[in-house]
DNA sequence: TAAATATTTAAATACTTATTTAATCATTAA
DNA sequence: TTAATGATTAAATAAGTATTTAAATATTTA
């Protein structure tokens, strides 16, 4: 219901893991639960917290509820980092560009071989 | 001593506030404490947690201990976001560039007037 | 050396969070 | 409608966290 803190949502290791798992594809709670040692009920609670923090969205399809990533809050978090590390903006930019270059290189290598 | 989680360190509102305060200049705990309603002992604990998470560093100068921002961990956090929101890398880059443009514009305005 | 200042640490307490079990709700298939 | 499947919610508990007070440590100054 009420908007939860994305910082608190992300402070839990299992919840960050859930986000990483959902990166690959949207999933239903039962499927997510298979990746963990705790109960479906616990997964359900984690999903609620991630949803409340606007990091996930839920799509109801019949009996199933598909959870998917929602990146709106990402920029809020980055903005906070920028506020703190204002003077480091350039190195962040370089970092992102390097990652892109690396990805490009990989793509070219695959095309060549 | 042991390395603490930057996610847990950042999950606390007051600790994020401390980082924002230290953005302006390095400070000693007593000075930081003036910004809050809780005791110096509590500030000291928060500083330890931020230090353990590698978000702050301490420099001892005589009787004083100056705390300052340490941005090494920032990239770790961004990296996590990138893992999750891989496909959004471009928009992150645009975001950073826009911020830079805004800053430039501001600087020019000041020079002109 | 003693007093003053700056800070941390320890123990206690109150609060919050994660997880479980059991009960409940919603949808589909028989 | 009944049984089966997918998921949430509530109550209980255990573990973790924030804050306080009081005591302890380190450095400087008188």
């Amino acid at each position: 219901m009420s908007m939860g803190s994305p910082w608190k949502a992300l402070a839990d290791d299992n919840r960050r893991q859930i986000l990483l798992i959902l990166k690959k594809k949207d999933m239903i709670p039962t499927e997510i639960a298979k990746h963990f040692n705790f109960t479906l009920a616990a997964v359900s609670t984690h999903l609620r917290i991630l949803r409340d923090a606007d990091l996930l969205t839920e799509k109801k399809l019949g009996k199933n509820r598909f959870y998917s990533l929602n990146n709106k809050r990402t920029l809020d978090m980055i903005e906070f980092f920028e506020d703190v590390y204002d003077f480091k903006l350039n190195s962040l930019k370089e970092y992102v560009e390097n990652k892109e270059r690396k990805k490009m290189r990989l793509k070219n290598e695959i095309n060549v071989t």
Side-chain angles (χ1 to χ4, degrees), chain A:
Chain A
M1 297 284 151
S2 59
M3 183 65 99
S5 154
W7 293 103
K8 279 185 185 149
L10 290 166
D12 184 272
D13 297 344
N14 292 321
R15 283 196 291 266
R16 292 202 305 284
Q17 200 57 44
I18 287 175
L19 292 183
L20 288 170
I21 287 168
L22 287 174
K23 184 188 153 186
K24 292 168 197 163
K25 61 167 179 167
D26 297 358
M27 283 184 203
I28 62 175
T30 338
E31 199 178 357
I32 296 168
K34 284 177 194 151
H35 294 78
F36 297 96
N37 292 325
F38 43 82
T39 63
L40 178 61
V43 169
S44 182
T45 307
H46 285 311
L47 290 173
R48 179 176 49 68
I49 289 164
L50 290 166
R51 218 188 317 116
D52 287 353
D54 211 20
L55 291 160
L56 285 184
T57 49
E58 187 200 82
K59 261 169 271 170
K60 221 174 160 182
L61 277 173
K63 185 158 61 167
N64 297 303
R65 290 164 189 229
F66 283 89
Y67 279 90
S68 45
L69 297 178
N70 180 15
N71 78 320
K72 271 188 290 174
R73 277 304 187 108
T74 313
L75 291 186
D76 293 349
M77 310 232 359
I78 292 163
E79 186 143 26
F80 168 76
F81 273 102
E82 193 205 347
D83 282 342
V84 176
Y85 299 112
D86 210 359
F87 54 97
K88 294 288 181 189
L89 253 182
N90 276 328
S91 68
L92 165 57
K93 197 182 149 194
E94 274 166 33
Y95 170 82
V96 171
E97 284 171 350
N98 276 336
K99 282 280 171 178
E100 281 177 339
R101 256 197 294 283
K102 212 181 281 174
K103 218 186 281 176
M104 267 308 196
R105 208 160 40 233
L106 201 67
K107 207 189 274 175
N108 291 336
E109 277 167 14
I110 290 165
N111 287 342
V112 165
T113 50

